[in-house]
Amino acid sequence: MYYGYGFDTTYLLVIIGAVLCLVASAHVKSTYRKYAGIRSASGITGAQAAEAILRRNGVVGVTVQHVAGELTDHYDPSRGVVNLSDATYNSTSVAAIGVAAHECGHVMQHETGYLPLRLRTALVPVANIGSNLGIWIVMLGLIFGLNQSLAMIGVYLFSFGVLFQLVTLPVEFDASHRALVMLQDYGILGDTEVKSSRAVLNAAAMTYVASAAASVLQLLRLLMLVNGGRRRR
Ligand SMILES: [Zn+2]
Protein backbone atom coordinates (compact mmCIF):
# COMPACT_ATOMS: atom_id res chain seq x y z
CA MET A 1 0.00 0.00 0.00
CA TYR A 2 1.16 3.52 -0.76
CA TYR A 3 1.14 4.75 2.82
CA GLY A 4 2.13 1.33 4.17
CA TYR A 5 4.81 2.47 6.58
CA GLY A 6 2.71 5.26 8.15
CA PHE A 7 -0.24 2.89 8.45
CA ASP A 8 1.82 0.35 10.41
CA THR A 9 3.27 2.75 12.96
CA THR A 10 0.02 4.56 13.71
CA TYR A 11 -1.73 1.22 14.09
CA LEU A 12 0.32 0.81 17.28
CA LEU A 13 -2.01 3.39 18.88
CA VAL A 14 -5.00 1.19 18.06
CA ILE A 15 -3.23 -1.83 19.57
CA ILE A 16 -2.44 0.12 22.76
CA GLY A 17 -6.14 1.07 23.00
CA ALA A 18 -7.23 -2.54 22.53
CA VAL A 19 -4.80 -3.73 25.22
CA LEU A 20 -6.13 -1.08 27.66
CA CYS A 21 -9.67 -2.34 27.04
CA LEU A 22 -8.66 -5.97 27.55
CA VAL A 23 -6.87 -5.19 30.82
CA ALA A 24 -9.85 -3.17 32.13
CA SER A 25 -12.28 -5.92 31.13
CA ALA A 26 -10.21 -8.62 32.86
CA HIS A 27 -9.92 -6.41 35.95
CA VAL A 28 -13.68 -5.83 36.26
CA LYS A 29 -14.40 -9.54 35.79
CA SER A 30 -11.92 -10.62 38.48
CA THR A 31 -13.07 -7.86 40.88
CA TYR A 32 -16.70 -8.83 40.33
CA ARG A 33 -15.92 -12.51 40.94
CA LYS A 34 -14.14 -11.63 44.17
CA TYR A 35 -17.02 -9.60 45.63
CA ALA A 36 -19.75 -11.81 44.15
CA GLY A 37 -18.72 -14.32 46.81
CA ILE A 38 -19.38 -11.92 49.69
CA ARG A 39 -22.98 -12.02 50.87
CA SER A 40 -24.37 -8.77 52.26
CA ALA A 41 -25.43 -8.73 55.93
CA SER A 42 -28.95 -7.59 55.00
CA GLY A 43 -29.38 -10.66 52.78
CA ILE A 44 -31.42 -8.81 50.17
CA THR A 45 -30.93 -9.44 46.44
CA GLY A 46 -29.82 -6.99 43.78
CA ALA A 47 -33.42 -6.74 42.55
CA GLN A 48 -34.74 -6.03 46.06
CA ALA A 49 -32.05 -3.39 46.61
CA ALA A 50 -32.99 -1.68 43.34
CA GLU A 51 -36.69 -1.75 44.25
CA ALA A 52 -35.95 -0.34 47.70
CA ILE A 53 -33.90 2.51 46.22
CA LEU A 54 -36.58 3.39 43.67
CA ARG A 55 -39.25 3.32 46.42
CA ARG A 56 -37.18 5.52 48.74
CA ASN A 57 -36.88 8.09 45.94
CA GLY A 58 -40.58 7.99 45.08
CA VAL A 59 -39.81 6.89 41.51
CA VAL A 60 -42.98 5.73 39.76
CA GLY A 61 -43.29 3.94 36.41
CA VAL A 62 -39.89 2.22 36.60
CA THR A 63 -39.78 -1.56 37.06
CA VAL A 64 -36.91 -3.92 37.85
CA GLN A 65 -36.56 -6.87 35.48
CA HIS A 66 -34.28 -9.83 34.86
CA VAL A 67 -32.16 -9.80 31.70
CA ALA A 68 -30.04 -12.67 30.37
CA GLY A 69 -26.27 -12.52 30.03
CA GLU A 70 -23.15 -11.51 31.92
CA LEU A 71 -22.58 -7.86 32.91
CA THR A 72 -25.60 -6.88 30.78
CA ASP A 73 -27.11 -4.72 33.52
CA HIS A 74 -28.51 -1.44 32.22
CA TYR A 75 -31.31 1.05 32.63
CA ASP A 76 -33.62 1.41 29.64
CA PRO A 77 -35.29 4.83 30.02
CA SER A 78 -37.50 4.38 26.93
CA ARG A 79 -39.27 1.40 28.56
CA GLY A 80 -38.71 2.51 32.16
CA VAL A 81 -36.96 -0.74 33.05
CA VAL A 82 -33.94 -1.42 35.24
CA ASN A 83 -32.52 -4.58 33.65
CA LEU A 84 -30.45 -6.70 36.02
CA SER A 85 -28.39 -9.65 34.73
CA ASP A 86 -28.23 -13.25 35.94
CA ALA A 87 -25.40 -12.46 38.34
CA THR A 88 -27.16 -9.42 39.81
CA TYR A 89 -30.91 -9.99 39.96
CA ASN A 90 -31.10 -12.89 42.42
CA SER A 91 -27.71 -12.50 44.07
CA THR A 92 -27.34 -11.25 47.64
CA SER A 93 -23.67 -10.31 47.17
CA VAL A 94 -22.19 -6.87 47.78
CA ALA A 95 -21.13 -6.88 44.10
CA ALA A 96 -24.69 -7.47 42.89
CA ILE A 97 -26.18 -4.84 45.19
CA GLY A 98 -23.54 -2.33 44.04
CA VAL A 99 -24.35 -2.90 40.36
CA ALA A 100 -28.11 -2.77 41.00
CA ALA A 101 -27.69 0.53 42.87
CA HIS A 102 -25.52 1.89 40.03
CA GLU A 103 -28.35 1.27 37.54
CA CYS A 104 -30.70 3.09 39.95
CA GLY A 105 -28.13 5.92 39.87
CA HIS A 106 -28.88 6.17 36.14
CA VAL A 107 -32.61 6.24 36.92
CA MET A 108 -32.04 9.16 39.28
CA GLN A 109 -29.95 10.97 36.63
CA HIS A 110 -32.85 10.53 34.24
CA GLU A 111 -35.43 11.67 36.81
CA THR A 112 -33.46 14.79 37.68
CA GLY A 113 -32.46 15.68 34.10
CA TYR A 114 -28.73 15.32 34.80
CA LEU A 115 -27.05 17.39 32.06
CA PRO A 116 -24.22 15.02 30.96
CA LEU A 117 -26.81 12.25 30.54
CA ARG A 118 -28.97 14.48 28.34
CA LEU A 119 -25.92 15.41 26.29
CA ARG A 120 -24.96 11.74 25.98
CA THR A 121 -28.46 10.77 24.81
CA ALA A 122 -28.43 13.55 22.23
CA LEU A 123 -25.08 12.31 20.90
CA VAL A 124 -26.14 8.66 20.44
CA PRO A 125 -27.29 8.75 16.77
CA VAL A 126 -24.45 10.93 15.46
CA ALA A 127 -21.89 9.04 17.56
CA ASN A 128 -22.99 5.69 16.13
CA ILE A 129 -22.69 6.95 12.56
CA GLY A 130 -19.48 8.84 13.27
CA SER A 131 -17.47 6.07 14.88
CA ASN A 132 -18.37 3.53 12.19
CA LEU A 133 -18.42 5.65 9.06
CA GLY A 134 -15.71 8.14 10.12
CA ILE A 135 -12.80 5.72 9.82
CA TRP A 136 -13.95 4.49 6.40
CA ILE A 137 -14.28 8.03 5.07
CA VAL A 138 -10.76 8.84 6.31
CA MET A 139 -9.42 5.72 4.57
CA LEU A 140 -11.29 6.56 1.36
CA GLY A 141 -9.87 10.08 1.49
CA LEU A 142 -6.36 8.68 1.86
CA ILE A 143 -6.62 5.93 -0.73
CA PHE A 144 -8.22 7.86 -3.57
CA GLY A 145 -5.66 10.49 -4.50
CA LEU A 146 -5.07 11.64 -0.92
CA ASN A 147 -8.16 13.79 -0.80
CA GLN A 148 -7.45 15.64 2.42
CA SER A 149 -10.80 17.43 2.70
CA LEU A 150 -12.66 14.14 2.45
CA ALA A 151 -10.33 12.57 5.02
CA MET A 152 -10.89 15.51 7.39
CA ILE A 153 -14.68 15.07 7.10
CA GLY A 154 -14.09 11.50 8.30
CA VAL A 155 -12.01 12.80 11.22
CA TYR A 156 -14.75 15.26 12.22
CA LEU A 157 -17.37 12.51 12.03
CA PHE A 158 -15.23 10.22 14.16
CA SER A 159 -14.82 13.02 16.73
CA PHE A 160 -18.51 12.71 17.62
CA GLY A 161 -17.88 9.11 18.64
CA VAL A 162 -14.94 10.26 20.79
CA LEU A 163 -17.04 13.02 22.35
CA PHE A 164 -19.71 10.44 23.20
CA GLN A 165 -17.13 8.25 24.97
CA LEU A 166 -15.84 11.27 26.92
CA VAL A 167 -19.35 12.41 27.97
CA THR A 168 -20.03 8.83 29.12
CA LEU A 169 -17.34 9.21 31.82
CA PRO A 170 -19.10 11.78 34.07
CA VAL A 171 -22.38 9.88 33.55
CA GLU A 172 -20.86 6.61 34.78
CA PHE A 173 -18.83 8.11 37.65
CA ASP A 174 -21.88 10.06 38.85
CA ALA A 175 -24.16 6.99 38.73
CA SER A 176 -21.67 5.08 40.91
CA HIS A 177 -21.31 8.00 43.31
CA ARG A 178 -25.10 8.26 43.69
CA ALA A 179 -25.30 4.47 44.17
CA LEU A 180 -22.79 4.37 47.02
CA VAL A 181 -24.34 7.36 48.80
CA MET A 182 -27.82 5.79 48.57
CA LEU A 183 -26.63 2.36 49.74
CA GLN A 184 -25.03 3.96 52.78
CA ASP A 185 -27.77 6.50 53.55
CA TYR A 186 -30.61 3.98 53.25
CA GLY A 187 -28.72 1.46 55.39
CA ILE A 188 -28.80 -1.18 52.66
CA LEU A 189 -25.07 -1.85 53.13
CA GLY A 190 -22.71 -1.33 56.06
CA ASP A 191 -19.52 0.76 55.83
CA THR A 192 -17.22 -2.18 54.95
CA GLU A 193 -19.74 -3.48 52.43
CA VAL A 194 -19.94 -0.07 50.76
CA LYS A 195 -16.15 -0.22 50.32
CA SER A 196 -16.49 -3.58 48.56
CA SER A 197 -19.22 -2.24 46.29
CA ARG A 198 -17.04 0.77 45.55
CA ALA A 199 -14.21 -1.54 44.41
CA VAL A 200 -16.58 -3.27 41.97
CA LEU A 201 -18.01 0.00 40.62
CA ASN A 202 -14.55 1.57 40.27
CA ALA A 203 -13.37 -1.45 38.28
CA ALA A 204 -16.45 -1.12 36.05
CA ALA A 205 -15.74 2.60 35.56
CA MET A 206 -12.21 1.76 34.37
CA THR A 207 -13.68 -0.07 31.37
CA TYR A 208 -15.29 3.21 30.28
CA VAL A 209 -12.02 5.08 30.86
CA ALA A 210 -10.20 2.47 28.75
CA SER A 211 -12.64 2.70 25.84
CA ALA A 212 -12.53 6.50 25.97
CA ALA A 213 -8.71 6.35 25.90
CA ALA A 214 -8.86 3.90 23.00
CA SER A 215 -11.09 6.19 20.95
CA VAL A 216 -8.87 9.22 21.69
CA LEU A 217 -5.86 7.15 20.50
CA GLN A 218 -7.78 6.16 17.37
CA LEU A 219 -8.60 9.84 16.69
CA LEU A 220 -4.91 10.71 17.14
CA ARG A 221 -4.00 7.99 14.67
CA LEU A 222 -6.48 9.23 12.08
CA LEU A 223 -5.08 12.76 12.42
CA MET A 224 -1.54 11.41 11.98
CA LEU A 225 -2.60 9.50 8.86
CA VAL A 226 -4.29 12.54 7.34
CA ASN A 227 -1.34 14.83 8.10
CA GLY A 228 1.19 12.22 6.96
CA GLY A 229 -0.74 11.93 3.67
CA ARG A 230 -0.61 15.69 3.18
CA ARG A 231 3.17 15.86 3.75
CA ARG A 232 3.82 13.14 1.18
CA ARG A 233 1.67 14.76 -1.44
ZN1 LIG B 1 -23.66 2.79 34.14
PDB file of all heavy atoms in Angstrom, residues 73-102:
ATOM      1  N   ASP A  73     -26.260  -5.611  32.745  1.00  0.00           N
ATOM      2  CA  ASP A  73     -27.110  -4.723  33.522  1.00  0.00           C
ATOM      3  C   ASP A  73     -27.167  -3.335  32.878  1.00  0.00           C
ATOM      4  O   ASP A  73     -26.134  -2.783  32.510  1.00  0.00           O
ATOM      5  CB  ASP A  73     -26.548  -4.585  34.940  1.00  0.00           C
ATOM      6  CG  ASP A  73     -26.297  -5.929  35.577  1.00  0.00           C
ATOM      7  OD1 ASP A  73     -25.244  -6.535  35.254  1.00  0.00           O
ATOM      8  OD2 ASP A  73     -27.142  -6.380  36.335  1.00  0.00           O
ATOM      9  N   HIS A  74     -28.362  -2.801  32.735  1.00  0.00           N
ATOM     10  CA  HIS A  74     -28.508  -1.444  32.217  1.00  0.00           C
ATOM     11  C   HIS A  74     -29.898  -0.902  32.504  1.00  0.00           C
ATOM     12  O   HIS A  74     -30.836  -1.680  32.731  1.00  0.00           O
ATOM     13  CB  HIS A  74     -28.223  -1.389  30.708  1.00  0.00           C
ATOM     14  CG  HIS A  74     -29.251  -2.108  29.889  1.00  0.00           C
ATOM     15  ND1 HIS A  74     -29.274  -3.486  29.767  1.00  0.00           N
ATOM     16  CD2 HIS A  74     -30.297  -1.651  29.170  1.00  0.00           C
ATOM     17  CE1 HIS A  74     -30.288  -3.833  29.003  1.00  0.00           C
ATOM     18  NE2 HIS A  74     -30.941  -2.745  28.623  1.00  0.00           N
ATOM     19  N   TYR A  75     -30.006   0.411  32.491  1.00  0.00           N
ATOM     20  CA  TYR A  75     -31.311   1.053  32.635  1.00  0.00           C
ATOM     21  C   TYR A  75     -31.796   1.465  31.261  1.00  0.00           C
ATOM     22  O   TYR A  75     -31.049   2.099  30.507  1.00  0.00           O
ATOM     23  CB  TYR A  75     -31.207   2.279  33.560  1.00  0.00           C
ATOM     24  CG  TYR A  75     -32.465   3.116  33.593  1.00  0.00           C
ATOM     25  CD1 TYR A  75     -33.701   2.526  33.835  1.00  0.00           C
ATOM     26  CD2 TYR A  75     -32.413   4.487  33.383  1.00  0.00           C
ATOM     27  CE1 TYR A  75     -34.862   3.287  33.851  1.00  0.00           C
ATOM     28  CE2 TYR A  75     -33.570   5.256  33.413  1.00  0.00           C
ATOM     29  CZ  TYR A  75     -34.796   4.646  33.643  1.00  0.00           C
ATOM     30  OH  TYR A  75     -35.938   5.397  33.655  1.00  0.00           O
ATOM     31  N   ASP A  76     -33.020   1.055  30.926  1.00  0.00           N
ATOM     32  CA  ASP A  76     -33.618   1.408  29.643  1.00  0.00           C
ATOM     33  C   ASP A  76     -34.689   2.473  29.898  1.00  0.00           C
ATOM     34  O   ASP A  76     -35.814   2.152  30.278  1.00  0.00           O
ATOM     35  CB  ASP A  76     -34.230   0.140  29.017  1.00  0.00           C
ATOM     36  CG  ASP A  76     -34.931   0.424  27.694  1.00  0.00           C
ATOM     37  OD1 ASP A  76     -35.037   1.615  27.320  1.00  0.00           O
ATOM     38  OD2 ASP A  76     -35.374  -0.537  27.045  1.00  0.00           O
ATOM     39  N   PRO A  77     -34.336   3.754  29.709  1.00  0.00           N
ATOM     40  CA  PRO A  77     -35.287   4.827  30.025  1.00  0.00           C
ATOM     41  C   PRO A  77     -36.517   4.825  29.108  1.00  0.00           C
ATOM     42  O   PRO A  77     -37.594   5.258  29.521  1.00  0.00           O
ATOM     43  CB  PRO A  77     -34.475   6.114  29.862  1.00  0.00           C
ATOM     44  CG  PRO A  77     -33.251   5.738  29.116  1.00  0.00           C
ATOM     45  CD  PRO A  77     -33.059   4.254  29.203  1.00  0.00           C
ATOM     46  N   SER A  78     -36.363   4.338  27.863  1.00  0.00           N
ATOM     47  CA  SER A  78     -37.500   4.378  26.932  1.00  0.00           C
ATOM     48  C   SER A  78     -38.617   3.452  27.412  1.00  0.00           C
ATOM     49  O   SER A  78     -39.799   3.734  27.195  1.00  0.00           O
ATOM     50  CB  SER A  78     -37.051   3.994  25.521  1.00  0.00           C
ATOM     51  OG  SER A  78     -36.615   2.657  25.494  1.00  0.00           O
ATOM     52  N   ARG A  79     -38.255   2.338  28.056  1.00  0.00           N
ATOM     53  CA  ARG A  79     -39.270   1.402  28.564  1.00  0.00           C
ATOM     54  C   ARG A  79     -39.467   1.553  30.071  1.00  0.00           C
ATOM     55  O   ARG A  79     -40.353   0.924  30.645  1.00  0.00           O
ATOM     56  CB  ARG A  79     -38.865  -0.042  28.226  1.00  0.00           C
ATOM     57  CG  ARG A  79     -39.049  -0.378  26.739  1.00  0.00           C
ATOM     58  CD  ARG A  79     -38.435  -1.735  26.380  1.00  0.00           C
ATOM     59  NE  ARG A  79     -38.971  -2.806  27.206  1.00  0.00           N
ATOM     60  CZ  ARG A  79     -38.233  -3.677  27.899  1.00  0.00           C
ATOM     61  NH1 ARG A  79     -36.919  -3.594  27.861  1.00  0.00           N
ATOM     62  NH2 ARG A  79     -38.796  -4.616  28.613  1.00  0.00           N
ATOM     63  N   GLY A  80     -38.625   2.357  30.712  1.00  0.00           N
ATOM     64  CA  GLY A  80     -38.710   2.511  32.156  1.00  0.00           C
ATOM     65  C   GLY A  80     -38.402   1.218  32.887  1.00  0.00           C
ATOM     66  O   GLY A  80     -39.127   0.806  33.793  1.00  0.00           O
ATOM     67  N   VAL A  81     -37.320   0.553  32.454  1.00  0.00           N
ATOM     68  CA  VAL A  81     -36.964  -0.735  33.047  1.00  0.00           C
ATOM     69  C   VAL A  81     -35.501  -0.751  33.492  1.00  0.00           C
ATOM     70  O   VAL A  81     -34.604  -0.407  32.716  1.00  0.00           O
ATOM     71  CB  VAL A  81     -37.186  -1.893  32.031  1.00  0.00           C
ATOM     72  CG1 VAL A  81     -36.723  -3.226  32.633  1.00  0.00           C
ATOM     73  CG2 VAL A  81     -38.644  -1.994  31.628  1.00  0.00           C
ATOM     74  N   VAL A  82     -35.293  -1.141  34.767  1.00  0.00           N
ATOM     75  CA  VAL A  82     -33.935  -1.416  35.240  1.00  0.00           C
ATOM     76  C   VAL A  82     -33.695  -2.899  34.972  1.00  0.00           C
ATOM     77  O   VAL A  82     -34.334  -3.761  35.565  1.00  0.00           O
ATOM     78  CB  VAL A  82     -33.791  -1.115  36.757  1.00  0.00           C
ATOM     79  CG1 VAL A  82     -32.434  -1.568  37.267  1.00  0.00           C
ATOM     80  CG2 VAL A  82     -33.980   0.372  37.022  1.00  0.00           C
ATOM     81  N   ASN A  83     -32.822  -3.198  34.016  1.00  0.00           N
ATOM     82  CA  ASN A  83     -32.521  -4.580  33.655  1.00  0.00           C
ATOM     83  C   ASN A  83     -31.331  -5.072  34.465  1.00  0.00           C
ATOM     84  O   ASN A  83     -30.239  -4.499  34.389  1.00  0.00           O
ATOM     85  CB  ASN A  83     -32.189  -4.669  32.160  1.00  0.00           C
ATOM     86  CG  ASN A  83     -33.421  -4.494  31.299  1.00  0.00           C
ATOM     87  OD1 ASN A  83     -34.347  -5.297  31.348  1.00  0.00           O
ATOM     88  ND2 ASN A  83     -33.448  -3.424  30.514  1.00  0.00           N
ATOM     89  N   LEU A  84     -31.541  -6.127  35.227  1.00  0.00           N
ATOM     90  CA  LEU A  84     -30.451  -6.705  36.016  1.00  0.00           C
ATOM     91  C   LEU A  84     -30.136  -8.103  35.490  1.00  0.00           C
ATOM     92  O   LEU A  84     -31.034  -8.904  35.231  1.00  0.00           O
ATOM     93  CB  LEU A  84     -30.834  -6.743  37.500  1.00  0.00           C
ATOM     94  CG  LEU A  84     -31.147  -5.377  38.151  1.00  0.00           C
ATOM     95  CD1 LEU A  84     -31.511  -5.559  39.613  1.00  0.00           C
ATOM     96  CD2 LEU A  84     -29.964  -4.414  38.015  1.00  0.00           C
ATOM     97  N   SER A  85     -28.845  -8.394  35.339  1.00  0.00           N
ATOM     98  CA  SER A  85     -28.394  -9.647  34.728  1.00  0.00           C
ATOM     99  C   SER A  85     -28.506 -10.832  35.687  1.00  0.00           C
ATOM    100  O   SER A  85     -28.816 -10.679  36.871  1.00  0.00           O
ATOM    101  CB  SER A  85     -26.953  -9.483  34.261  1.00  0.00           C
ATOM    102  OG  SER A  85     -26.116  -9.378  35.382  1.00  0.00           O
ATOM    103  N   ASP A  86     -28.204 -11.996  35.162  1.00  0.00           N
ATOM    104  CA  ASP A  86     -28.227 -13.247  35.936  1.00  0.00           C
ATOM    105  C   ASP A  86     -27.488 -13.096  37.265  1.00  0.00           C
ATOM    106  O   ASP A  86     -27.966 -13.505  38.311  1.00  0.00           O
ATOM    107  CB  ASP A  86     -27.547 -14.375  35.135  1.00  0.00           C
ATOM    108  CG  ASP A  86     -28.275 -14.670  33.836  1.00  0.00           C
ATOM    109  OD1 ASP A  86     -29.487 -14.400  33.775  1.00  0.00           O
ATOM    110  OD2 ASP A  86     -27.634 -15.158  32.893  1.00  0.00           O
ATOM    111  N   ALA A  87     -26.277 -12.521  37.171  1.00  0.00           N
ATOM    112  CA  ALA A  87     -25.401 -12.459  38.342  1.00  0.00           C
ATOM    113  C   ALA A  87     -25.845 -11.400  39.359  1.00  0.00           C
ATOM    114  O   ALA A  87     -25.362 -11.383  40.483  1.00  0.00           O
ATOM    115  CB  ALA A  87     -23.974 -12.173  37.894  1.00  0.00           C
ATOM    116  N   THR A  88     -26.767 -10.538  38.946  1.00  0.00           N
ATOM    117  CA  THR A  88     -27.162  -9.425  39.813  1.00  0.00           C
ATOM    118  C   THR A  88     -28.550  -9.613  40.426  1.00  0.00           C
ATOM    119  O   THR A  88     -28.741  -9.422  41.621  1.00  0.00           O
ATOM    120  CB  THR A  88     -27.154  -8.101  39.017  1.00  0.00           C
ATOM    121  OG1 THR A  88     -25.946  -8.017  38.281  1.00  0.00           O
ATOM    122  CG2 THR A  88     -27.272  -6.910  39.940  1.00  0.00           C
ATOM    123  N   TYR A  89     -29.504  -9.988  39.573  1.00  0.00           N
ATOM    124  CA  TYR A  89     -30.912  -9.992  39.961  1.00  0.00           C
ATOM    125  C   TYR A  89     -31.197 -10.775  41.248  1.00  0.00           C
ATOM    126  O   TYR A  89     -31.763 -10.240  42.200  1.00  0.00           O
ATOM    127  CB  TYR A  89     -31.753 -10.555  38.805  1.00  0.00           C
ATOM    128  CG  TYR A  89     -33.237 -10.331  38.974  1.00  0.00           C
ATOM    129  CD1 TYR A  89     -33.842  -9.180  38.505  1.00  0.00           C
ATOM    130  CD2 TYR A  89     -34.032 -11.287  39.608  1.00  0.00           C
ATOM    131  CE1 TYR A  89     -35.199  -8.968  38.662  1.00  0.00           C
ATOM    132  CE2 TYR A  89     -35.391 -11.089  39.773  1.00  0.00           C
ATOM    133  CZ  TYR A  89     -35.967  -9.924  39.297  1.00  0.00           C
ATOM    134  OH  TYR A  89     -37.306  -9.722  39.463  1.00  0.00           O
ATOM    135  N   ASN A  90     -30.767 -12.036  41.276  1.00  0.00           N
ATOM    136  CA  ASN A  90     -31.099 -12.891  42.421  1.00  0.00           C
ATOM    137  C   ASN A  90     -29.971 -13.044  43.425  1.00  0.00           C
ATOM    138  O   ASN A  90     -30.088 -13.809  44.377  1.00  0.00           O
ATOM    139  CB  ASN A  90     -31.503 -14.283  41.928  1.00  0.00           C
ATOM    140  CG  ASN A  90     -32.955 -14.315  41.500  1.00  0.00           C
ATOM    141  OD1 ASN A  90     -33.811 -13.730  42.165  1.00  0.00           O
ATOM    142  ND2 ASN A  90     -33.230 -14.962  40.382  1.00  0.00           N
ATOM    143  N   SER A  91     -28.862 -12.334  43.186  1.00  0.00           N
ATOM    144  CA  SER A  91     -27.707 -12.497  44.068  1.00  0.00           C
ATOM    145  C   SER A  91     -27.798 -11.559  45.277  1.00  0.00           C
ATOM    146  O   SER A  91     -28.261 -10.425  45.162  1.00  0.00           O
ATOM    147  CB  SER A  91     -26.422 -12.210  43.291  1.00  0.00           C
ATOM    148  OG  SER A  91     -25.351 -12.062  44.191  1.00  0.00           O
ATOM    149  N   THR A  92     -27.331 -12.068  46.424  1.00  0.00           N
ATOM    150  CA  THR A  92     -27.341 -11.248  47.643  1.00  0.00           C
ATOM    151  C   THR A  92     -25.943 -10.698  47.934  1.00  0.00           C
ATOM    152  O   THR A  92     -25.668 -10.223  49.038  1.00  0.00           O
ATOM    153  CB  THR A  92     -27.812 -12.093  48.847  1.00  0.00           C
ATOM    154  OG1 THR A  92     -26.951 -13.228  48.957  1.00  0.00           O
ATOM    155  CG2 THR A  92     -29.241 -12.562  48.680  1.00  0.00           C
ATOM    156  N   SER A  93     -25.045 -10.752  46.945  1.00  0.00           N
ATOM    157  CA  SER A  93     -23.665 -10.313  47.174  1.00  0.00           C
ATOM    158  C   SER A  93     -23.533  -8.788  47.169  1.00  0.00           C
ATOM    159  O   SER A  93     -24.377  -8.082  46.606  1.00  0.00           O
ATOM    160  CB  SER A  93     -22.742 -10.898  46.104  1.00  0.00           C
ATOM    161  OG  SER A  93     -22.939 -10.215  44.880  1.00  0.00           O
ATOM    162  N   VAL A  94     -22.451  -8.309  47.768  1.00  0.00           N
ATOM    163  CA  VAL A  94     -22.191  -6.865  47.783  1.00  0.00           C
ATOM    164  C   VAL A  94     -21.903  -6.358  46.366  1.00  0.00           C
ATOM    165  O   VAL A  94     -22.173  -5.198  46.054  1.00  0.00           O
ATOM    166  CB  VAL A  94     -21.029  -6.505  48.741  1.00  0.00           C
ATOM    167  CG1 VAL A  94     -21.464  -6.666  50.190  1.00  0.00           C
ATOM    168  CG2 VAL A  94     -19.784  -7.323  48.461  1.00  0.00           C
ATOM    169  N   ALA A  95     -21.384  -7.254  45.499  1.00  0.00           N
ATOM    170  CA  ALA A  95     -21.134  -6.878  44.101  1.00  0.00           C
ATOM    171  C   ALA A  95     -22.458  -6.636  43.382  1.00  0.00           C
ATOM    172  O   ALA A  95     -22.636  -5.616  42.699  1.00  0.00           O
ATOM    173  CB  ALA A  95     -20.340  -7.982  43.399  1.00  0.00           C
ATOM    174  N   ALA A  96     -23.387  -7.569  43.547  1.00  0.00           N
ATOM    175  CA  ALA A  96     -24.692  -7.474  42.886  1.00  0.00           C
ATOM    176  C   ALA A  96     -25.452  -6.231  43.341  1.00  0.00           C
ATOM    177  O   ALA A  96     -26.021  -5.506  42.516  1.00  0.00           O
ATOM    178  CB  ALA A  96     -25.513  -8.731  43.180  1.00  0.00           C
ATOM    179  N   ILE A  97     -25.444  -5.995  44.648  1.00  0.00           N
ATOM    180  CA  ILE A  97     -26.176  -4.838  45.188  1.00  0.00           C
ATOM    181  C   ILE A  97     -25.556  -3.531  44.683  1.00  0.00           C
ATOM    182  O   ILE A  97     -26.269  -2.584  44.353  1.00  0.00           O
ATOM    183  CB  ILE A  97     -26.224  -4.915  46.733  1.00  0.00           C
ATOM    184  CG1 ILE A  97     -27.093  -6.119  47.143  1.00  0.00           C
ATOM    185  CG2 ILE A  97     -26.750  -3.624  47.351  1.00  0.00           C
ATOM    186  CD1 ILE A  97     -27.114  -6.405  48.628  1.00  0.00           C
ATOM    187  N   GLY A  98     -24.228  -3.509  44.571  1.00  0.00           N
ATOM    188  CA  GLY A  98     -23.538  -2.328  44.045  1.00  0.00           C
ATOM    189  C   GLY A  98     -23.949  -2.038  42.611  1.00  0.00           C
ATOM    190  O   GLY A  98     -24.276  -0.894  42.264  1.00  0.00           O
ATOM    191  N   VAL A  99     -23.973  -3.071  41.775  1.00  0.00           N
ATOM    192  CA  VAL A  99     -24.348  -2.903  40.362  1.00  0.00           C
ATOM    193  C   VAL A  99     -25.809  -2.475  40.245  1.00  0.00           C
ATOM    194  O   VAL A  99     -26.149  -1.565  39.475  1.00  0.00           O
ATOM    195  CB  VAL A  99     -24.084  -4.206  39.560  1.00  0.00           C
ATOM    196  CG1 VAL A  99     -24.679  -4.119  38.162  1.00  0.00           C
ATOM    197  CG2 VAL A  99     -22.584  -4.482  39.472  1.00  0.00           C
ATOM    198  N   ALA A 100     -26.683  -3.115  41.033  1.00  0.00           N
ATOM    199  CA  ALA A 100     -28.111  -2.767  41.003  1.00  0.00           C
ATOM    200  C   ALA A 100     -28.307  -1.299  41.388  1.00  0.00           C
ATOM    201  O   ALA A 100     -29.075  -0.575  40.750  1.00  0.00           O
ATOM    202  CB  ALA A 100     -28.888  -3.683  41.952  1.00  0.00           C
ATOM    203  N   ALA A 101     -27.580  -0.858  42.420  1.00  0.00           N
ATOM    204  CA  ALA A 101     -27.694   0.533  42.868  1.00  0.00           C
ATOM    205  C   ALA A 101     -27.146   1.489  41.805  1.00  0.00           C
ATOM    206  O   ALA A 101     -27.681   2.588  41.608  1.00  0.00           O
ATOM    207  CB  ALA A 101     -26.951   0.720  44.189  1.00  0.00           C
ATOM    208  N   HIS A 102     -26.089   1.067  41.109  1.00  0.00           N
ATOM    209  CA  HIS A 102     -25.520   1.891  40.026  1.00  0.00           C
ATOM    210  C   HIS A 102     -26.572   2.141  38.945  1.00  0.00           C
ATOM    211  O   HIS A 102     -26.718   3.279  38.462  1.00  0.00           O
ATOM    212  CB  HIS A 102     -24.292   1.188  39.438  1.00  0.00           C
ATOM    213  CG  HIS A 102     -23.762   1.830  38.188  1.00  0.00           C
ATOM    214  ND1 HIS A 102     -22.778   2.784  38.206  1.00  0.00           N
ATOM    215  CD2 HIS A 102     -24.110   1.661  36.878  1.00  0.00           C
ATOM    216  CE1 HIS A 102     -22.529   3.172  36.957  1.00  0.00           C
ATOM    217  NE2 HIS A 102     -23.318   2.508  36.133  1.00  0.00           N
TER     218      HIS A 102
END
